Amino acid sequence: MASFHKPLVQAIRERRSTPSFDAEPIPPRDLWQIIDAGLQAPSGYNLQPWRFIVVQNAEQRKRLRAASYNQAKVEEASAVIVCCGDRDGWRRDLEEMIRMGCAAGMPETYAAQAAANVPEYLSSFSPEGLAGWLNKHVSIAATTMMWMAEVLGYDTAMMEGFEQQRVCETLRLPMSYWVVSLLAIGHLKGADKFNGGRFDPARTVFSEEYGRPFR
Ligand SMILES: Cc1cc2nc3c(=O)[nH]c(=O)nc-3n(C[C@H](O)[C@H](O)[C@H](O)COP(=O)(O)O)c2cc1C
């Protein structure tokens, strides 16, 4: 089924965190396009520490809702992509990253440097530091999926309202997984959410150094 395409500038202007979805399934081709967009995201050393669990089954959505403070949209959405990071992913993936890179022209010096530096860098993190590192990468990939879904004409809602342990149990996630966010995708049902607006950039954007207005 051909999807409707919306220009990204329009999607950025119009997107709202969808309050309620109809549960119409998403064609697999669209879902793959959305997922693939996330997988194209950049990551430090190209380590791609993200992992995604795509939940579409109605019973599983209901169980996930129970682990997400009973947020109705978790059950109503056509698909919920549970965006996770794998704390130990790099231990298995570093070699593959280097192999793929070398096949595509990665300089040998860079490969040797990555092989030496990555284990040192990532094993130096505290548990909180590693969660921060994962949050950063997984959020970039999840946001890329969100925009692809919006451009394809879907409505989305990013969520942090869930219980980490309960989501891990519900989805039978490995111990090394850390759940970062849920991305609900589908079509808006009923009225959209109000637009709460954004702060004046004078509060959030500076030029050259802190405190200097960017004009
Ligand atoms: C990381 C993240 C987590 C969020 N978690 C929730 C959530 O659990 N439940 C919810 O209803 N909205 C959630 N939101 C939506 C925000 O409330 C919403 O983005 C904000 O109010 C601005 O509204 P807008 O997205 O429509 O512009 C979340 C948004 C982000 C980016």
Side-chain angles (χ1 to χ4, degrees):
M1 194 194 304
S3 292
F4 162 75
H5 280 64
K6 190 191 273 189
L8 182 58
V9 281
Q10 186 187 348
I12 290 172
R13 200 170 51 237
E14 294 177 353
R15 182 208 58 81
R16 293 276 66 81
S17 289
T18 304
S20 187
F21 293 94
D22 69 24
E24 192 70 22
I26 302 178
R29 206 181 70 168
D30 286 358
L31 199 49
W32 265 116
Q33 197 171 347
I34 292 164
I35 293 163
D36 184 58
L39 301 182
Q40 302 308 318
S43 59
Y45 282 106
N46 199 22
L47 282 168
Q48 308 163 55
W50 44 67
R51 305 290 183 263
F52 300 101
I53 316 291
V54 183
V55 177
Q56 297 182 86
N57 175 275
E59 281 306 308
Q60 190 70 331
R61 290 196 323 247
K62 190 185 280 220
R63 285 191 281 270
L64 191 57
R65 172 182 178 170
S68 309
Y69 301 110
N70 198 32
Q71 295 199 70
K73 52 189 160 189
V74 175
E75 188 176 350
E76 292 171 352
S78 314
V80 180
I81 302 183
V82 181
C83 306
C84 312
D86 185 353
R87 297 179 182 93
D88 288 340
W90 65 272
R91 296 179 196 275
R92 289 180 296 274
D93 294 343
L94 177 57
E95 212 177 289
E96 176 66 357
M97 179 281 284
I98 291 172
R99 188 197 63 75
M100 287 167 57
C102 288
M106 178 188 283
E108 270 178 35
T109 47
Y110 181 93
Q113 220 173 44
N117 290 355
V118 167
E120 198 182 335
Y121 175 54
L122 287 175
S123 39
S124 74
F125 278 123
S126 66
E128 295 76 22
L130 193 56
W133 186 79
L134 290 174
N135 285 342
K136 179 163 56 182
H137 287 91
V138 174
S139 293
I140 292 169
T143 307
T144 308
M145 287 186 192
M146 181 189 82
W147 287 125
M148 180 57 87
E150 292 278 340
V151 160
L152 292 179
Y154 292 96
D155 299 302
T156 62
M158 194 77 87
M159 279 172 276
E160 62 181 343
F162 58 84
E163 294 173 72
Q164 181 73 221
Q165 194 54 38
R166 281 187 73 176
V167 172
C168 288
E169 284 164 13
T170 304
L171 304 183
R172 301 153 66 97
L173 301 179
M175 294 289 283
S176 61
Y177 275 37
W178 168 251
V179 184
V180 174
S181 57
L182 311 187
L183 175 62
I185 306 171
H187 287 294
L188 170 71
K189 187 179 71 185
D192 208 349
K193 182 181 156 291
F194 62 91
N195 180 356
R198 294 298 182 263
F199 298 132
D200 186 304
R203 283 176 180 257
T204 52
V205 185
F206 306 103
S207 173
E208 313 300 345
E209 61 181 33
Y210 170 73
R212 268 216 225 165
F214 179 82
R215 296 185 211 284

